Amino acid sequence: MINELSRLEDEALQEVVDATTKKELETVRVTYLGKKGPITEVLRGMGKLSAEERPVVGQKANEVRARIQEAIESKQQRLEEEELEQKLAEERIDVTLPGQPLPRGGKHPLTSVVEEVEDIFIGMGFEVTEGPEVEQDYYNFEKLNLPPDHPARDMQDSFYVSQDLLLRTQTSPVQARTMEKKDGKGPVKIVCPGKVYRRDEDDATHSHQFMQIEGLYVDRNVRMSDLKGVLDTFVKKYFGEEREIRLRPSFFPFTEPSVEVDVTCGLCGGKGCRVCKHTGWIEVLGAGMVHPSVLEMSGFDPEEYSGFAFGMGVERFAMLKYGIDDIRHFYTNDTRFLSQFKRA
Ligand code: DAH
């Protein structure tokens, strides 16, 4: 009996050594230590042994079982360690490999310009206001002193949605909308950025959709010199301290007098070059003193209040600042163009 147990032990330990997987090891365990295994069998047959033999065989059987058990457990641990090491080796990450680039988006240059212009005017006490892009003829034209059939309507070819609705051709209607809400009481000091639409053929300097920023300041005693001071400050902040402006007489139905505002050329410094067509000046915006009829139509008493207004093309300001020669670049979504405007 004792010898049989020793033989079983040797055999089992050898099989533990030979086992190369956890599955094989489990088979060894079931074979030798399972309920139907030979050792259990021996223990079960103890009743047939003599009183002297019983404790000796019993002890031996328990010892054998404990040693096999121990061998299996330590082998199990070794196999698990090996498995883990193998897995770590297989899944090793080479941190020196170059990563996949994740391109980051950036602000559209027109957004940046609008924000920059807004900031400058906010610094001078203006508020930012917006209005609808699908606008009533009434606000886009009539309230700005452009009654139906007024010849100056031809200055802006329009996309009509219906008889009375159109895609706004300018941001000026926001002037009328804002004043109307004020119940005839100033001050009104706003800038209004937004998209506008005109029935133009697209080319290097025209786009059927573009952006404007409108400005309006209405209060008691607002004078032309205030307009000049505000625009001079703005131009110096936006283009550079060395820039000068000049006002030339012009015509807009909603302002009287009206002016065209020029800024000294940034390329030649005013001496004259290809960019400024050898004049030293570049036209950048339209402006003027708000027409008394426009004030009156929006509920302001022109005897008490006066104001100035101006309107600028955002693309033009961006093109001049960044040396862009074609307005269509802003709308064709070419990332080679757009990515140049990412700010750090
Ligand atoms: N709305 C004009 C345009 O689109 C620009 C403009 C000129 C706006 C003079 C004004 C202004 O407010 O006073 O051509």
Side-chain angles (χ1 to χ4, degrees):
M1 216 32 128
I2 299 285
N3 287 343
E4 173 63 7
L5 281 168
S6 293
R7 198 191 56 77
L8 276 174
E9 179 178 350
D10 290 346
E11 201 180 284
L13 293 181
Q14 187 56 50
E15 282 188 32
V16 170
V17 171
D18 293 344
T20 54
T21 64
K22 288 202 294 191
K23 201 164 164 220
E24 281 173 26
L25 194 62
E26 177 63 10
T27 310
V28 177
R29 193 188 64 76
V30 172
T31 308
Y32 290 91
L33 306 177
K35 277 192 203 126
K36 290 175 190 151
I39 295 172
T40 315
E41 202 104 300
V42 170
L43 290 170
R44 223 178 260 146
M46 293 262 284
K48 291 181 207 133
L49 297 176
S50 68
E52 298 89 66
E53 265 182 323
R54 216 176 286 155
V56 183
V57 172
Q59 194 189 354
K60 174 77 178 174
N62 280 330
E63 279 169 13
V64 166
R65 189 165 61 178
R67 282 199 289 271
I68 295 173
Q69 180 85 36
E70 204 187 334
I72 289 176
E73 272 166 22
S74 73
K75 178 79 187 225
Q76 167 100 7
Q77 204 179 338
R78 262 229 323 285
L79 287 177
E80 273 169 13
E81 278 167 13
E82 275 173 26
E83 206 172 84
L84 182 67
E85 257 159 47
Q86 197 185 345
K87 214 168 166 188
L88 284 175
E90 273 169 15
E91 293 176 6
R92 191 194 199 91
I93 293 167
D94 183 352
V95 292
T96 65
L97 277 177
Q100 299 260 19
L102 286 173
R104 267 245 238 137
K107 272 186 193 161
H108 192 281
L110 295 179
T111 305
S112 300
V113 169
V114 167
E115 287 177 356
E116 192 182 346
V117 172
E118 281 176 1
D119 282 348
I120 296 171
F121 282 102
I122 287 169
M124 291 190 274
F126 286 76
E127 281 175 42
V128 179
T129 312
E130 288 182 18
E133 286 172 30
V134 178
E135 183 56 284
Q136 297 171 36
D137 180 282
Y138 178 63
Y139 287 109
N140 194 79
F141 289 130
E142 280 188 51
K143 278 212 133 188
L144 296 168
N145 214 21
L146 276 149
D149 302 321
H150 191 290
R153 285 190 175 211
D154 292 346
M155 287 164 81
Q156 303 174 357
D157 264 341
S158 321
F159 288 114
Y160 273 89
V161 175
S162 69
Q163 184 88 19
D164 321 307
L165 278 181
L166 75 164
L167 300 183
R168 66 178 177 191
T169 57
Q170 49 187 353
T171 43
S172 305
V174 188
Q175 287 187 26
R177 285 179 170 277
T178 310
M179 278 192 281
E180 203 178 59
K181 284 195 206 121
K182 291 280 179 173
D183 262 345
K185 285 189 200 65
V188 183
K189 207 172 177 187
I190 52 163
V191 282
C192 331
K195 297 190 195 86
V196 300
Y197 303 84
R198 294 201 192 164
R199 257 188 57 192
D200 282 331
E201 287 293 329
D202 291 355
D203 62 24
T205 54
H206 295 83
S207 174
H208 61 282
Q209 179 204 303
F210 60 104
M211 292 191 80
Q212 287 188 334
I213 299 176
E214 189 80 13
L216 173 71
Y217 178 31
V218 176
D219 205 348
R220 295 188 178 87
N221 299 317
V222 176
R223 288 163 304 203
M224 192 105 183
S225 53
D226 297 314
L227 170 64
K228 194 169 181 189
V230 163
L231 292 180
D232 188 53
T233 304
F234 163 64
V235 159
K236 284 179 164 56
K237 283 210 192 312
Y238 181 83
F239 287 116
E241 282 300 321
E242 70 290 354
R243 300 296 192 95
E244 303 289 338
I245 60 164
R246 76 174 179 190
L247 310 186
R248 276 184 294 111
S250 184
F251 170 78
F252 296 102
F254 28 87
T255 43
E256 182 58 39
S258 302
V259 292
E260 212 78 69
V261 182
D262 297 342
V263 57
T264 44
C265 178
L267 197 69
C268 62
K271 285 196 220 51
C273 68
R274 191 181 46 83
V275 168
C276 57
K277 298 193 186 94
H278 305 282
T279 62
W281 296 94
I282 296 171
E283 184 190 317
V284 288
L285 48 82
M289 300 307 290
V290 181
H291 196 290
S293 309
V294 171
L295 287 172
E296 204 166 351
M297 276 187 279
S298 289
F300 277 79
D301 179 0
E303 296 293 325
E304 191 184 348
Y305 284 99
S306 56
F308 66 70
F310 55 88
M312 67 186 87
V314 177
E315 287 80 358
R316 184 152 174 74
F317 271 77
M319 288 164 86
L320 287 172
K321 186 154 178 166
Y322 298 111
I324 299 161
D325 59 7
D326 194 320
I327 194 172
R328 290 168 293 195
H329 285 312
F330 294 114
Y331 293 103
T332 40
N333 288 333
D334 186 334
T335 50
R336 290 171 303 178
F337 170 76
L338 295 173
S339 63
Q340 296 174 67
F341 296 91
K342 271 188 218 165
R343 296 206 179 156

